[in-house]
Amino acid sequence: MEAVERFWAGLADNVVLLVVVMPLVGAGLVRLMKPSGADPVYFTGLVNVWLTAVLAVIMVARFEPGLPDAAEFSTRMTSSLSWLAEWEQPPTADTTTEQGGAETEIPSGPWRPFGPDVRLSVGVNRYSLWFLVLTVATTLAAFRSISTDDSRLVSKLSWLLLTESAMLGAFAAQDVILLAMCCQVSTLGLFFLIGQGGDPKRREAARRFFRTQTVSGMLILFGLIGAAICHWWMLATVEPDSANLTFSLRRIVSAMPRLAFETEAARDLWTSVSPWLFVSLCAGFLLRLPLPPFHHWWFRVSEHADSRVVAMMAVGYLPLSFYGVVWILVPLFPEHVAQIAPRLFVWAIFAVLFLAVSVVVIDDPKRKLIAAGMVSGCVAFGTAFFGDAASIQGGLLLSISSGGSLALLFLHSVAAKDESGSKRRRASRAEEWVRRLCVMIGLTGVSVLPLSGSFWGEFLILQSVFRRDAAGAFWLLSVACLMAISLRQSWRVFLPTSSRFTSISEDGTTTPMTGHRVVPLMPIVFVLAAAAISPQWILGPPPFFDSDEAEAALSTGDSNQLVNDEPAKTLSLAKVTPSAE
């Protein structure tokens, strides 16, 4: 019994690392099983995705999301393995011994890295948790819809699992190099997945996607490496004996605002370098999000690529822009964020107005839903720069609900064959009602209707915007109403037959989608229902920006309310969050 408890404790402590690594192992096993035939290859991958799903459930249970917690940004279940570093044990000055008449210092100090400390460090916080869960659930549903008769089965399954591992690693990464590498690997994996399935124009969409996102990944890498080097240089000016080049995101984000004002040299360096680093990171995250006028690549991918790939991007690729702003940009560059937030909000307002008009004038239901999802992403990204609890939590709910709803609708549209692979089984009455329920939940989340997570997220964002600009809140409310009215056509199109999406094969033939296998979609439905019925269970504690304690903290400017492990907490968040006591 004691051995079982130790095994469970070790598994639970490293469950995030296992969730990230398991799909990578599955991709390798799928390649190794290729000579055995299609069925063993598919079974190997299927076992892997189910094991990843079980580990994700353990991760959620271990995280205990329903308990009150003031540390919304605290990283838990962190696993850190040395990747590229030489370790040394410095000697203690007063410890010597005699060897052949000569005094020799005995190394007895603490071990520390010598040179660049690159680590395989992953963890999860309250905001990355649900993006990880949705990515795992979407991959499971996408995997279950792939037929063993596919001529590119091994290639599709291996790239699917590799891309899943990279997406999970991007959300869980606590190291600069790991985050940049996961961004680039996910771009490469999606490039091949887009080119392998869809209509005849998919290769053009894949090339445009790859060009845009490669530039985005390089900008993010440049900004993060520059921040790491600046942190090392500033630390050397303050503590020359203990300074080492670290790539830990938590250390860099938590220490940079303090180190930038420790010495005059550090202040001069940060004043001259920080604008370039901020522009690089902001542009990188901006290109990753389809914010007009940089949205054409997403329209082409969603229109010409396989619906499974579009679903994975909706929950595991696009939301990284919002998460990167909240986790890196806002706490690392508070002065620049405060200056650009109003301008970026105006840009977001014009972008959502353009997209809302597009939702009205577009006749194709599929493109109409894509434009509606882009509206939610632009609103979440634009208001995340405000840095307060309402806008960040509202953006989280909006990103989870809109991305999950798009993934649910696209996965539901995928044609699924029965076990024989030759004919489609006629859906029973119970399955038909479950399919209708899935479509209703998806359309409700995309339309920002009441009793959806998107509605509660929009409500929190409106509350935050109204404090700053009543006109901006009015425009956001108008856009939400316009989207809800214009998407009525989608309800009439999708509900009678549960789905009207079509799959276009390489020869140009069109096949109606049935999507009767809805069991793998249930985890996504569960997350969307939780966000709609009990948003507090997704967000944790309610924001305290209206409490008397918050007003007192805001007036006194007390920054001691930060808990110990909150590197991504911004100054504005610190002032409106009560202490852990």
Side-chain angles (χ1 to χ4, degrees):
M1 190 64 181
E2 184 178 353
V4 174
E5 292 179 356
R6 288 200 302 268
F7 172 78
W8 169 255
L11 177 65
D13 291 338
N14 298 282
V15 66
V16 180
L17 178 62
L18 293 176
V19 168
V20 174
V21 173
M22 185 65 69
L24 182 62
V25 175
L29 293 177
V30 165
R31 287 287 182 179
L32 291 176
M33 294 296 293
K34 182 179 181 179
S36 302
D39 291 336
V41 166
Y42 186 83
F43 180 75
T44 301
L46 185 62
V47 171
N48 184 270
V49 295
W50 275 111
L51 286 176
T52 307
V54 172
L55 291 173
V57 173
I58 297 175
M59 177 180 64
V60 175
R62 182 74 173 177
F63 194 84
E64 299 177 347
L67 295 181
D69 179 19
E72 298 176 8
F73 283 93
S74 60
T75 304
R76 307 182 187 178
M77 294 177 282
T78 302
S79 300
S80 184
L81 303 176
S82 180
W83 188 0
L84 179 63
E86 296 181 3
W87 291 78
E88 64 175 2
Q89 189 178 19
T92 303
D94 57 353
T95 303
T96 59
T97 185
E98 297 287 340
Q99 292 184 356
E103 293 185 354
T104 305
E105 295 181 344
I106 299 178
S108 58
W111 287 90
R112 66 181 185 181
F114 176 74
D117 184 18
V118 181
R119 306 185 65 84
L120 181 62
S121 180
V122 294
V124 62
N125 55 52
R126 190 176 299 278
Y127 286 177
S128 63
L129 173 68
W130 299 109
F131 293 122
L132 293 173
V133 172
L134 281 176
T135 302
V136 172
T138 303
T139 306
L140 174 62
F143 197 100
R144 290 287 290 121
S145 64
I146 298 177
S147 173
T148 56
D149 297 333
D150 198 315
S151 59
R152 299 177 176 177
L153 180 65
V154 176
S155 179
K156 283 187 177 180
L157 296 187
S158 58
W159 281 115
L160 183 71
L161 294 174
L162 179 63
T163 304
E164 178 195 11
S165 179
M167 289 180 176
L168 295 174
F171 282 110
Q174 303 296 313
D175 187 89
V176 168
I177 303 299
L178 180 61
L179 174 60
M181 188 184 70
C182 287
C183 290
Q184 295 289 13
V185 173
S186 62
T187 299
L188 182 64
L190 288 172
F191 169 72
F192 285 103
L193 288 174
I194 294 170
Q196 288 179 350
D199 66 18
K201 295 183 178 180
R202 64 184 183 275
R203 291 184 176 87
E204 179 186 354
R207 287 191 293 267
R208 177 169 294 194
F209 161 80
F210 186 75
R211 288 194 297 265
T212 306
Q213 298 309 303
T214 300
V215 174
S216 171
M218 294 304 296
L219 288 173
I220 293 174
L221 175 62
F222 173 78
L224 293 177
I225 293 294
I229 295 176
C230 288
H231 171 266
W232 175 47
W233 192 90
M234 293 179 188
L235 191 63
T237 61
V238 179
E239 303 172 359
D241 296 333
S242 60
N244 63 292
L245 180 58
T246 180
F247 292 95
S248 172
L249 273 174
R250 293 191 297 170
R251 293 182 182 178
I252 294 172
V253 172
S254 61
M256 285 289 281
R258 175 181 58 85
L259 291 175
F261 298 96
E262 287 286 343
T263 62
E264 188 68 26
R267 184 183 299 108
D268 294 339
L269 173 69
W270 189 242
T271 302
S272 59
V273 174
S274 60
W276 297 102
L277 299 180
F278 174 76
V279 170
S280 177
L281 286 172
C282 189
F285 289 125
L286 186 62
L287 287 176
R288 199 178 184 92
L289 179 76
L291 182 67
F294 308 108
H295 65 290
H296 297 287
W297 66 268
W298 173 236
F299 259 129
R300 289 186 176 273
V301 168
S302 58
E303 204 172 350
H304 304 302
D306 194 320
S307 297
R308 307 178 189 93
V309 181
V310 178
M312 290 187 63
M313 294 179 67
V315 298
Y317 194 81
L318 303 183
L320 186 64
S321 296
F322 168 79
Y323 181 71
V325 169
V326 173
W327 176 247
I328 300 175
L329 271 184
V330 173
L332 193 58
F333 306 96
E335 298 86 0
H336 301 298
V337 167
Q339 294 176 3
I340 200 175
R343 300 175 177 85
L344 193 61
F345 177 70
V346 173
W347 184 2
I349 287 292
F350 281 105
V352 298
L353 286 175
F354 167 76
L355 292 172
V357 173
S358 301
V359 172
V360 176
V361 300
I362 292 176
D363 295 329
D364 184 13
K366 185 175 181 179
R367 297 194 65 183
K368 188 183 290 288
L369 292 179
I370 288 296
M374 291 169 61
V375 170
S376 300
C378 293
V379 171
F381 182 82
T383 56
F385 284 83
F386 289 151
D388 57 56
S391 61
I392 292 179
Q393 291 190 336
L396 173 67
L397 271 179
L398 198 58
S399 300
I400 290 175
S401 186
S402 62
S405 300
L406 280 178
L408 182 64
L409 291 173
F410 275 91
L411 287 172
H412 180 271
S413 70
V414 176
K417 298 181 180 180
D418 61 359
E419 297 179 358
S420 63
S422 58
K423 296 181 180 179
R424 291 182 176 85
R425 177 174 57 85
R426 183 179 179 84
S428 64
R429 185 177 296 273
E431 288 177 333
E432 183 67 24
W433 278 107
V434 174
R435 289 162 51 191
R436 290 173 178 265
L437 177 63
C438 292
V439 174
M440 290 180 63
I441 292 177
L443 289 175
T444 302
V446 174
S447 306
V448 200
L449 293 177
L451 296 180
S452 68
S454 299
F455 173 79
W456 299 119
E458 189 82 18
F459 179 79
L460 285 173
I461 290 176
L462 284 173
Q463 186 173 2
S464 174
V465 173
F466 187 80
R467 288 171 169 264
R468 295 170 171 81
D469 188 357
F474 169 77
W475 284 111
L476 284 181
L477 183 62
S478 302
V479 168
C481 296
L482 182 63
M483 286 176 50
I485 296 173
S486 61
L487 286 175
R488 290 183 304 172
Q489 178 187 355
S490 299
W491 287 81
R492 294 195 299 267
V493 170
F494 291 112
L495 280 182
T497 59
S498 294
S499 182
R500 290 285 183 88
F501 288 167
T502 57
S503 174
I504 305 177
S505 59
E506 293 185 4
D507 56 1
T509 58
T510 302
T511 305
M513 299 291 190
T514 57
H516 59 267
R517 290 182 178 177
V518 295
V519 175
L521 301 179
M522 289 301 102
I524 304 177
V525 174
F526 174 76
V527 174
L528 295 178
I533 298 174
S534 179
Q536 183 177 349
W537 193 75
I538 299 292
L539 298 175
F544 293 94
F545 44 83
D546 286 329
S547 62
D548 297 335
E549 295 86 353
E551 295 297 336
L554 185 63
S555 61
T556 58
D558 185 8
S559 61
N560 295 325
Q561 296 178 2
L562 289 173
V563 295
N564 294 331
D565 192 16
E566 293 188 63
K569 187 81 72 171
T570 64
L571 296 179
S572 57
L573 263 177
K575 295 176 181 178
V576 297
T577 306
S579 62
E581 300 176 355

PDB file of all heavy atoms in Angstrom, residues 46-66:
ATOM      1  N   LEU A  46      -4.083   5.292 -30.654  1.00  0.00           N
ATOM      2  CA  LEU A  46      -5.311   5.450 -29.877  1.00  0.00           C
ATOM      3  C   LEU A  46      -5.050   5.233 -28.385  1.00  0.00           C
ATOM      4  O   LEU A  46      -5.559   5.973 -27.533  1.00  0.00           O
ATOM      5  CB  LEU A  46      -6.371   4.472 -30.376  1.00  0.00           C
ATOM      6  CG  LEU A  46      -7.757   4.582 -29.741  1.00  0.00           C
ATOM      7  CD1 LEU A  46      -8.366   5.949 -30.032  1.00  0.00           C
ATOM      8  CD2 LEU A  46      -8.669   3.471 -30.245  1.00  0.00           C
ATOM      9  N   VAL A  47      -4.255   4.216 -28.064  1.00  0.00           N
ATOM     10  CA  VAL A  47      -3.900   3.990 -26.661  1.00  0.00           C
ATOM     11  C   VAL A  47      -3.147   5.189 -26.101  1.00  0.00           C
ATOM     12  O   VAL A  47      -3.353   5.614 -24.961  1.00  0.00           O
ATOM     13  CB  VAL A  47      -3.060   2.698 -26.529  1.00  0.00           C
ATOM     14  CG1 VAL A  47      -2.490   2.568 -25.119  1.00  0.00           C
ATOM     15  CG2 VAL A  47      -3.907   1.475 -26.862  1.00  0.00           C
ATOM     16  N   ASN A  48      -2.282   5.780 -26.919  1.00  0.00           N
ATOM     17  CA  ASN A  48      -1.506   6.933 -26.462  1.00  0.00           C
ATOM     18  C   ASN A  48      -2.396   8.129 -26.163  1.00  0.00           C
ATOM     19  O   ASN A  48      -2.230   8.797 -25.130  1.00  0.00           O
ATOM     20  CB  ASN A  48      -0.466   7.286 -27.528  1.00  0.00           C
ATOM     21  CG  ASN A  48       0.442   8.410 -27.097  1.00  0.00           C
ATOM     22  OD1 ASN A  48       0.157   9.578 -27.330  1.00  0.00           O
ATOM     23  ND2 ASN A  48       1.547   8.063 -26.447  1.00  0.00           N
ATOM     24  N   VAL A  49      -3.354   8.437 -27.047  1.00  0.00           N
ATOM     25  CA  VAL A  49      -4.209   9.604 -26.802  1.00  0.00           C
ATOM     26  C   VAL A  49      -5.129   9.374 -25.606  1.00  0.00           C
ATOM     27  O   VAL A  49      -5.434  10.309 -24.857  1.00  0.00           O
ATOM     28  CB  VAL A  49      -5.022   9.959 -28.065  1.00  0.00           C
ATOM     29  CG1 VAL A  49      -4.109  10.412 -29.185  1.00  0.00           C
ATOM     30  CG2 VAL A  49      -5.891   8.805 -28.523  1.00  0.00           C
ATOM     31  N   TRP A  50      -5.558   8.139 -25.398  1.00  0.00           N
ATOM     32  CA  TRP A  50      -6.378   7.865 -24.220  1.00  0.00           C
ATOM     33  C   TRP A  50      -5.562   7.976 -22.938  1.00  0.00           C
ATOM     34  O   TRP A  50      -6.053   8.475 -21.920  1.00  0.00           O
ATOM     35  CB  TRP A  50      -7.023   6.485 -24.326  1.00  0.00           C
ATOM     36  CG  TRP A  50      -8.300   6.480 -25.103  1.00  0.00           C
ATOM     37  CD1 TRP A  50      -8.540   5.917 -26.318  1.00  0.00           C
ATOM     38  CD2 TRP A  50      -9.540   7.085 -24.699  1.00  0.00           C
ATOM     39  NE1 TRP A  50      -9.843   6.132 -26.707  1.00  0.00           N
ATOM     40  CE2 TRP A  50     -10.490   6.840 -25.735  1.00  0.00           C
ATOM     41  CE3 TRP A  50      -9.956   7.804 -23.586  1.00  0.00           C
ATOM     42  CZ2 TRP A  50     -11.799   7.296 -25.671  1.00  0.00           C
ATOM     43  CZ3 TRP A  50     -11.264   8.259 -23.516  1.00  0.00           C
ATOM     44  CH2 TRP A  50     -12.166   8.012 -24.550  1.00  0.00           C
ATOM     45  N   LEU A  51      -4.311   7.503 -22.957  1.00  0.00           N
ATOM     46  CA  LEU A  51      -3.455   7.675 -21.782  1.00  0.00           C
ATOM     47  C   LEU A  51      -3.205   9.152 -21.495  1.00  0.00           C
ATOM     48  O   LEU A  51      -3.199   9.570 -20.330  1.00  0.00           O
ATOM     49  CB  LEU A  51      -2.127   6.953 -22.006  1.00  0.00           C
ATOM     50  CG  LEU A  51      -2.150   5.423 -21.911  1.00  0.00           C
ATOM     51  CD1 LEU A  51      -0.775   4.847 -22.243  1.00  0.00           C
ATOM     52  CD2 LEU A  51      -2.591   4.970 -20.527  1.00  0.00           C
ATOM     53  N   THR A  52      -3.012   9.941 -22.534  1.00  0.00           N
ATOM     54  CA  THR A  52      -2.840  11.380 -22.344  1.00  0.00           C
ATOM     55  C   THR A  52      -4.090  12.002 -21.738  1.00  0.00           C
ATOM     56  O   THR A  52      -4.000  12.880 -20.871  1.00  0.00           O
ATOM     57  CB  THR A  52      -2.509  12.058 -23.680  1.00  0.00           C
ATOM     58  OG1 THR A  52      -1.394  11.403 -24.291  1.00  0.00           O
ATOM     59  CG2 THR A  52      -2.175  13.522 -23.479  1.00  0.00           C
ATOM     60  N   ALA A  53      -5.268  11.540 -22.184  1.00  0.00           N
ATOM     61  CA  ALA A  53      -6.519  12.060 -21.631  1.00  0.00           C
ATOM     62  C   ALA A  53      -6.659  11.686 -20.157  1.00  0.00           C
ATOM     63  O   ALA A  53      -7.104  12.499 -19.330  1.00  0.00           O
ATOM     64  CB  ALA A  53      -7.703  11.521 -22.434  1.00  0.00           C
ATOM     65  N   VAL A  54      -6.275  10.473 -19.795  1.00  0.00           N
ATOM     66  CA  VAL A  54      -6.335  10.060 -18.384  1.00  0.00           C
ATOM     67  C   VAL A  54      -5.383  10.906 -17.538  1.00  0.00           C
ATOM     68  O   VAL A  54      -5.729  11.348 -16.431  1.00  0.00           O
ATOM     69  CB  VAL A  54      -6.004   8.563 -18.264  1.00  0.00           C
ATOM     70  CG1 VAL A  54      -5.856   8.154 -16.798  1.00  0.00           C
ATOM     71  CG2 VAL A  54      -7.096   7.718 -18.919  1.00  0.00           C
ATOM     72  N   LEU A  55      -4.192  11.154 -18.044  1.00  0.00           N
ATOM     73  CA  LEU A  55      -3.245  12.007 -17.320  1.00  0.00           C
ATOM     74  C   LEU A  55      -3.772  13.430 -17.182  1.00  0.00           C
ATOM     75  O   LEU A  55      -3.538  14.088 -16.152  1.00  0.00           O
ATOM     76  CB  LEU A  55      -1.902  12.021 -18.049  1.00  0.00           C
ATOM     77  CG  LEU A  55      -1.098  10.715 -18.024  1.00  0.00           C
ATOM     78  CD1 LEU A  55       0.118  10.819 -18.924  1.00  0.00           C
ATOM     79  CD2 LEU A  55      -0.668  10.372 -16.604  1.00  0.00           C
ATOM     80  N   ALA A  56      -4.487  13.913 -18.198  1.00  0.00           N
ATOM     81  CA  ALA A  56      -5.084  15.247 -18.094  1.00  0.00           C
ATOM     82  C   ALA A  56      -6.148  15.297 -17.008  1.00  0.00           C
ATOM     83  O   ALA A  56      -6.267  16.293 -16.284  1.00  0.00           O
ATOM     84  CB  ALA A  56      -5.681  15.655 -19.444  1.00  0.00           C
ATOM     85  N   VAL A  57      -6.920  14.223 -16.871  1.00  0.00           N
ATOM     86  CA  VAL A  57      -7.915  14.167 -15.798  1.00  0.00           C
ATOM     87  C   VAL A  57      -7.224  14.185 -14.433  1.00  0.00           C
ATOM     88  O   VAL A  57      -7.664  14.874 -13.497  1.00  0.00           O
ATOM     89  CB  VAL A  57      -8.795  12.913 -15.959  1.00  0.00           C
ATOM     90  CG1 VAL A  57      -9.718  12.740 -14.753  1.00  0.00           C
ATOM     91  CG2 VAL A  57      -9.618  12.999 -17.235  1.00  0.00           C
ATOM     92  N   ILE A  58      -6.134  13.430 -14.301  1.00  0.00           N
ATOM     93  CA  ILE A  58      -5.373  13.446 -13.044  1.00  0.00           C
ATOM     94  C   ILE A  58      -4.822  14.842 -12.766  1.00  0.00           C
ATOM     95  O   ILE A  58      -4.807  15.309 -11.620  1.00  0.00           O
ATOM     96  CB  ILE A  58      -4.239  12.403 -13.111  1.00  0.00           C
ATOM     97  CG1 ILE A  58      -4.813  10.993 -13.240  1.00  0.00           C
ATOM     98  CG2 ILE A  58      -3.339  12.502 -11.889  1.00  0.00           C
ATOM     99  CD1 ILE A  58      -3.758   9.912 -13.423  1.00  0.00           C
ATOM    100  N   MET A  59      -4.386  15.518 -13.811  1.00  0.00           N
ATOM    101  CA  MET A  59      -3.863  16.880 -13.649  1.00  0.00           C
ATOM    102  C   MET A  59      -4.939  17.821 -13.115  1.00  0.00           C
ATOM    103  O   MET A  59      -4.684  18.620 -12.201  1.00  0.00           O
ATOM    104  CB  MET A  59      -3.323  17.380 -14.986  1.00  0.00           C
ATOM    105  CG  MET A  59      -2.805  18.804 -14.985  1.00  0.00           C
ATOM    106  SD  MET A  59      -2.182  19.318 -16.597  1.00  0.00           S
ATOM    107  CE  MET A  59      -3.701  19.247 -17.562  1.00  0.00           C
ATOM    108  N   VAL A  60      -6.151  17.732 -13.657  1.00  0.00           N
ATOM    109  CA  VAL A  60      -7.245  18.583 -13.184  1.00  0.00           C
ATOM    110  C   VAL A  60      -7.594  18.244 -11.744  1.00  0.00           C
ATOM    111  O   VAL A  60      -7.818  19.137 -10.910  1.00  0.00           O
ATOM    112  CB  VAL A  60      -8.469  18.444 -14.102  1.00  0.00           C
ATOM    113  CG1 VAL A  60      -9.645  19.218 -13.545  1.00  0.00           C
ATOM    114  CG2 VAL A  60      -8.134  18.933 -15.506  1.00  0.00           C
ATOM    115  N   ALA A  61      -7.658  16.945 -11.433  1.00  0.00           N
ATOM    116  CA  ALA A  61      -7.989  16.541 -10.067  1.00  0.00           C
ATOM    117  C   ALA A  61      -6.915  16.986  -9.080  1.00  0.00           C
ATOM    118  O   ALA A  61      -7.222  17.394  -7.954  1.00  0.00           O
ATOM    119  CB  ALA A  61      -8.170  15.029 -10.005  1.00  0.00           C
ATOM    120  N   ARG A  62      -5.672  16.915  -9.497  1.00  0.00           N
ATOM    121  CA  ARG A  62      -4.576  17.339  -8.632  1.00  0.00           C
ATOM    122  C   ARG A  62      -4.556  18.847  -8.440  1.00  0.00           C
ATOM    123  O   ARG A  62      -4.156  19.341  -7.373  1.00  0.00           O
ATOM    124  CB  ARG A  62      -3.254  16.876  -9.245  1.00  0.00           C
ATOM    125  CG  ARG A  62      -2.019  17.195  -8.447  1.00  0.00           C
ATOM    126  CD  ARG A  62      -1.892  16.316  -7.228  1.00  0.00           C
ATOM    127  NE  ARG A  62      -0.615  16.509  -6.561  1.00  0.00           N
ATOM    128  CZ  ARG A  62      -0.269  15.896  -5.431  1.00  0.00           C
ATOM    129  NH1 ARG A  62      -1.114  15.064  -4.860  1.00  0.00           N
ATOM    130  NH2 ARG A  62       0.906  16.120  -4.885  1.00  0.00           N
ATOM    131  N   PHE A  63      -4.979  19.568  -9.430  1.00  0.00           N
ATOM    132  CA  PHE A  63      -4.967  21.024  -9.359  1.00  0.00           C
ATOM    133  C   PHE A  63      -6.030  21.560  -8.417  1.00  0.00           C
ATOM    134  O   PHE A  63      -5.875  22.642  -7.865  1.00  0.00           O
ATOM    135  CB  PHE A  63      -5.168  21.613 -10.751  1.00  0.00           C
ATOM    136  CG  PHE A  63      -4.847  23.075 -10.846  1.00  0.00           C
ATOM    137  CD1 PHE A  63      -3.553  23.499 -11.046  1.00  0.00           C
ATOM    138  CD2 PHE A  63      -5.840  24.025 -10.723  1.00  0.00           C
ATOM    139  CE1 PHE A  63      -3.243  24.846 -11.126  1.00  0.00           C
ATOM    140  CE2 PHE A  63      -5.543  25.374 -10.804  1.00  0.00           C
ATOM    141  CZ  PHE A  63      -4.236  25.782 -11.008  1.00  0.00           C
ATOM    142  N   GLU A  64      -7.115  20.840  -8.226  1.00  0.00           N
ATOM    143  CA  GLU A  64      -8.213  21.251  -7.361  1.00  0.00           C
ATOM    144  C   GLU A  64      -8.742  22.624  -7.756  1.00  0.00           C
ATOM    145  O   GLU A  64      -8.614  23.598  -7.023  1.00  0.00           O
ATOM    146  CB  GLU A  64      -7.775  21.262  -5.900  1.00  0.00           C
ATOM    147  CG  GLU A  64      -7.330  19.897  -5.399  1.00  0.00           C
ATOM    148  CD  GLU A  64      -6.837  19.947  -3.965  1.00  0.00           C
ATOM    149  OE1 GLU A  64      -6.619  21.070  -3.471  1.00  0.00           O
ATOM    150  OE2 GLU A  64      -6.682  18.900  -3.353  1.00  0.00           O
ATOM    151  N   PRO A  65      -9.341  22.743  -8.948  1.00  0.00           N
ATOM    152  CA  PRO A  65      -9.725  24.071  -9.448  1.00  0.00           C
ATOM    153  C   PRO A  65     -10.864  24.722  -8.702  1.00  0.00           C
ATOM    154  O   PRO A  65     -11.063  25.916  -8.820  1.00  0.00           O
ATOM    155  CB  PRO A  65     -10.138  23.775 -10.897  1.00  0.00           C
ATOM    156  CG  PRO A  65     -10.579  22.354 -10.862  1.00  0.00           C
ATOM    157  CD  PRO A  65      -9.713  21.664  -9.861  1.00  0.00           C
ATOM    158  N   GLY A  66     -11.625  23.955  -7.920  1.00  0.00           N
ATOM    159  CA  GLY A  66     -12.776  24.550  -7.267  1.00  0.00           C
ATOM    160  C   GLY A  66     -12.470  25.212  -5.945  1.00  0.00           C
ATOM    161  O   GLY A  66     -13.328  25.868  -5.361  1.00  0.00           O
TER     162      GLY A  66
END
